[in-house]
Amino acid sequence: EPEVTQTPSHQVTQMGQEVILRCVPISNHLYFYWYRQILGQKVEFLVSFYNNEISEKSEIFDDQFSVERPDGSNFTLKIRSTKLEDSAMYFCASSTSSGGREQYFGPGTRLTVT
Amino acid sequence: AQSVTQLDSQVPVFEEAPVELRCNYSSSVSVYLFWYVQYPNQGLQLLLKYLSGSTLVKGINGFEAEFNKSQTSFHLRKPSVHISDTAEYFCAVIPYNQGGKLIFGQGTELSVKP
């Protein structure tokens, strides 16, 4: 069964460093999403992406964040200058439908900022 | 704005007992409703969804949920749980015509004991 994959599973970085989290969505999906979950808190929407542009972004998704689909398979989330409060589990998801009514999630990347 | 409240953060239950995980939502527009499950060290897996039609929906692993519009609830039930059902369960909504952004509850940790 096709699945969403994410790398790395765990990333440790120092405050102020840039990180890139990578996702490979399911191959025939067209809609892509990033969510994050700070330890002990809710899963929060960050951004949705379709047709090579951002469809919607949350207040969390400020200028420090960017997303890209550099080729036909990868979908990346970049954080330019990490802060301690960026420490969280980051989930990628993909969907075939514009309403996002069946989103398939990857296993997540745990980001630890020290 | 929309919000989702899961009334129980932890639910301990004995194997073969019935269980109900409660979910209420608040929204000024109609929503689609979902339950996701997260097993340890894995991503979020769709358990079931309500899009329209019959208010009782059945999902994987013997779970079902009932949409109650007047009470704005979408409680998850299983008549007899197994040890393997031990996981975190998330209720979520997508507002109609808002691009597929999932809005999650805080999660309920279901712990099934022998």
Side-chain angles (χ1 to χ4, degrees):
Chain A
E1 185 176 330
E3 58 182 20
V4 177
T5 59
Q6 290 185 244
T7 54
S9 57
H10 190 192
Q11 173 92 46
V12 181
T13 189
Q14 289 191 327
M15 196 166 50
Q17 296 296 304
E18 174 183 287
V19 294
I20 297 176
L21 310 183
R22 291 184 167 80
C23 168
V24 179
I26 295 172
S27 61
N28 64 335
H29 286 189
L30 300 176
Y31 300 87
F32 312 112
Y33 309 84
W34 282 102
Y35 294 84
R36 79 171 185 190
Q37 185 180 28
I38 295 172
L39 190 63
Q41 298 186 24
K42 295 184 182 188
V43 177
E44 303 170 289
F45 168 80
L46 291 177
V47 66
S48 57
F49 189 87
Y50 168 70
N51 200 25
N52 282 321
E53 59 183 34
I54 290 173
S55 307
E56 185 177 359
K57 59 183 180 179
S58 72
E59 291 175 355
I60 304 165
F61 195 88
D62 61 21
D63 292 344
Q64 293 299 312
F65 291 88
S66 62
V67 288
E68 193 178 29
R69 189 155 161 82
D71 52 42
S73 59
N74 289 284
F75 179 51
T76 62
L77 174 69
K78 182 193 291 187
I79 309 175
R80 286 189 186 80
S81 178
T82 50
K83 306 182 187 103
L84 294 175
E85 54 265 36
D86 294 327
S87 294
M89 182 73 90
Y90 288 81
F91 294 105
C92 171
S94 68
S95 172
T96 55
S97 76
S98 62
R101 284 163 283 175
E102 188 147 355
Q103 293 181 31
Y104 291 81
F105 281 77
T109 293
R110 179 162 296 286
L111 176 65
T112 302
V113 182
T114 61
Chain B
Q2 294 78 29
S3 66
V4 179
T5 302
Q6 292 181 243
L7 297 160
D8 307 294
S9 59
Q10 294 181 322
V11 173
V13 64
F14 287 108
E15 194 173 20
E16 298 183 10
V19 71
E20 179 179 81
L21 306 184
R22 297 179 292 168
C23 173
N24 287 89
Y25 70 92
S26 172
S27 177
S28 56
V29 301
S30 296
V31 297
Y32 302 115
L33 297 132
F34 304 84
W35 276 97
Y36 280 84
V37 60
Q38 185 180 30
Y39 299 104
N41 301 315
Q42 294 188 28
L44 297 162
Q45 180 182 2
L46 182 64
L47 204 52
L48 49 78
K49 61 188 176 189
Y50 173 79
L51 303 182
S52 65
S54 172
T55 57
L56 182 63
V57 292
K58 295 188 185 298
I60 61 173
N61 302 338
F63 283 92
E64 64 180 32
E66 186 155 21
F67 170 50
N68 187 318
K69 189 173 182 179
S70 62
Q71 296 186 8
T72 59
S73 67
F74 191 54
H75 300 333
L76 181 71
R77 294 190 286 261
K78 186 169 182 177
S80 175
V81 294
H82 303 291
I83 298 283
S84 59
D85 292 324
T86 295
E88 186 96 19
Y89 291 80
F90 295 92
C91 181
V93 303
I94 292 178
Y96 280 13
N97 301 324
Q98 289 192 19
K101 172 178 72 177
L102 276 162
I103 299 164
F104 285 89
Q106 303 95 316
T108 297
E109 186 181 331
L110 176 64
S111 176
V112 182
K113 303 179 186 306

